[in-house]
Each structure stands twice: as C-alpha cells, then as structure tokens.
C-alpha cells in the first residue's frame, strides 16, 4: 500500500524484547557524518555476527544519511535493531518534516536513485513523521 506520492505506508515492526540488540547514534549535519555512520554500522554488525548483511546495510545507510545531509540542517539519527531472529530494522531520522518520495530518474540524472535502491534492496521500507522531523526506515532479511 502506498500514498499518492508512491511512498509505502507500511509501519516498521514495533515488537521488541530485551534480547534483541539495538544501538543508535546521532551525527551532525556535516559531510564526515556519512563516513562515521558507515563505520559504526559496519563495526556493530560485525560485533553482532551479521556480516552477511553488512555491505548492503552500510550502502543503504550511506544513501539515507547522504539524503538527510542534502535536505536537513540539524542532527541525523541512525538506529539499528535486530528484530526477531530473521530481520534487521534500520532507521535514519532528521529534523525536516517533509517525507521523501521515490522519483523516476533518467539514465543521465546525477541523483534520485537512493530511495529506489532502498526500495529494491530491502524486504520493506517506509517513512513516518515524528514530532521532531521524520524517519526513513528499512528492514532487511537475515540469513539462516
């Protein structure tokens, strides 16, 4: 199900138990934050034994943090959480209220592919407004 702009309306799972690992970070809206987010996500997934999804998770986090940098002026939040035994939930938040939308891009366009990549690579994804801005989230299936 999507809204009129084609953005999926699905909500991320809310069930969470104390045994499911979770961590989050806040980054300033500056260029070095993309590199820092990638490094922390990769390191955390390595610690959790989730190397099988590390590359794709880092790629998608990089895309979403970069999008937030282009459009936001405040802090960017990244949260990763293992949900159930078969999924990883990743959320990227920023203080801007406008929800992003997937765009149709031409082969010579220099941008606009980030949400397409998230849409085509993740199990599911979506956006939600928060009292302090918005969150873009995606869920990846875990092997095993």
């Amino acid at each position: 199900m999507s809204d009129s702009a084609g953005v999926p309306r699905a909500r991320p799972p809310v069930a969470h138990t104390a045994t499911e690992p979770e961590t989050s970070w806040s980054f300033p809206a500056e260029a070095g934050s993309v590199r820092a987010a990638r490094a922390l996500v990769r390191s955390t997934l390595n610690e959790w034994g989730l190397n099988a999804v590390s590359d794709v998770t880092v790629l998608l986090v990089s895309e979403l943090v970069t999008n937030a940098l282009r459009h936001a002026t405040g802090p960017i939040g990244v949260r990763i959480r293992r949900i159930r035994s078969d999924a990883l939930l990743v959320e990227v938040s920023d203080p801007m209220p406008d929800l992003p939308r997937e765009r149709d891009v031409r082969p010579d366009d220099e941008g606009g592919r980030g949400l397409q990549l998230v849409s085509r690579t993740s199990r599911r994804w979506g956006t939600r407004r928060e009292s302090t801005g918005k969150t873009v989230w995606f869920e990846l299936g875990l092997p095993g």
Side-chain angles (χ1 to χ4, degrees):
M1 175 180 272
S2 325
D3 65 13
S4 61
V7 176
R9 283 194 205 162
R11 303 286 292 185
V14 293
H16 180 65
T17 67
T19 60
E20 296 168 330
E22 174 180 334
T23 193
S24 61
W25 307 274
S26 181
F27 302 96
E30 55 190 44
S33 294
V34 177
R35 180 180 300 130
R38 284 193 305 252
L40 287 167
V41 167
R42 186 174 302 280
S43 173
T44 300
L45 294 177
N46 182 48
E47 290 173 18
W48 292 355
L50 297 177
N51 292 329
V53 295
S54 182
D55 287 343
V56 69
T57 306
V58 167
L59 173 64
L60 298 181
V61 165
S62 182
E63 288 291 332
L64 294 179
V65 171
T66 298
N67 284 352
L69 276 173
R70 286 189 177 138
H71 304 287
T73 57
I76 299 165
V78 175
R79 180 171 87 149
I80 58 174
R81 176 172 55 148
R82 185 170 182 163
I83 52 175
R84 302 177 310 276
S85 62
D86 69 338
L88 183 72
L89 176 65
V90 179
E91 299 173 313
V92 176
S93 303
D94 68 56
M96 299 303 290
D98 300 327
L99 297 178
R101 61 183 176 82
E102 201 172 340
R103 297 183 346 187
D104 290 325
V105 293
R106 296 182 309 259
D108 58 339
D109 287 344
E110 291 187 24
R113 292 176 181 80
L115 287 179
Q116 285 184 352
L117 186 60
V118 171
S119 175
R120 292 180 178 142
T121 307
S122 62
R123 177 188 283 178
R124 58 192 198 126
W125 74 282
T127 62
R128 66 179 181 271
R129 283 195 170 88
E130 307 281 354
S131 61
T132 59
K134 70 171 168 299
T135 297
V136 180
W137 61 269
F138 63 89
E139 183 180 296
L140 296 173
L142 299 175

